[in-house]
Amino acid sequence: MNHSVTNTVRLFGAGLRALLMLTLVTGVIYPLLVTGVAQGLFHDKANGSEITAHGKVVGSSLIGQSYDLPLKKGQETPDPDLKWFQGRPANGLGSNSVNTQYKLLLSGATNLSADSKDLLRQVRDAKAAVVRNNSVPGYTVKPSQVPAEAVTSSGSGLDPDISPRYAKIQVHRVAERNGLSVGQVEKLVKDKTEGRTVGFIGEPRVNVLELNVALKDLVAQR
């Protein structure tokens, strides 16, 4: 075997050893280390921030859900099930997108401009619906009470949270529909309201799924 062939074999062997070592370190050891640390220190987040109820996973705290009635014959858009707290509109990327009403193949906003006639119509219709749906005998919602997130979808279209202000607007309607007192439902909202992250980041918020899970448990206790 001449000198050049010997060098080639030696280089090939060194390259192969380097490949195997890097494969072991970056493809096996590192992923196992990261997974172990994540499971040990951030178990909930590492597993999708799941929300469970009675031992069953019912969703993620990071992704909103819709609470609608079954579609009626001829309907394209379902009516909201008004016994539940409602989240933000989920317009997704628009009517031609697979990401409408929290279907999770894609996420994104409508990309409609601020002066879009379609957007203005959506906002007007949504505000009218919030006022209509949440006004019950003895309690009337004024248009000026309706917060922005009640009539607009988020940038992803999947926002799981609403403001305490929007949750409180819904209290009287939820109480009436479920045969509960206003005080009971107000306490639910208060208990499920989260403050600003580390005291100063973001705004107070209420996770709609967690709130509705607590509501279901309260109704079951009657």
Side-chain angles (χ1 to χ4, degrees), residues 43 55 66 81 176 195 208 211:
H43 180 76
S66 55
D81 189 344
E176 182 188 64
V208 180
L211 183 58

Side-chain angles (χ1 to χ4, degrees), residues 33-48:
L33 176 63
V34 171
T35 300
V37 171
Q39 289 293 330
L41 300 179
F42 310 102
H43 180 76
D44 178 62
K45 291 181 174 60
N47 288 291

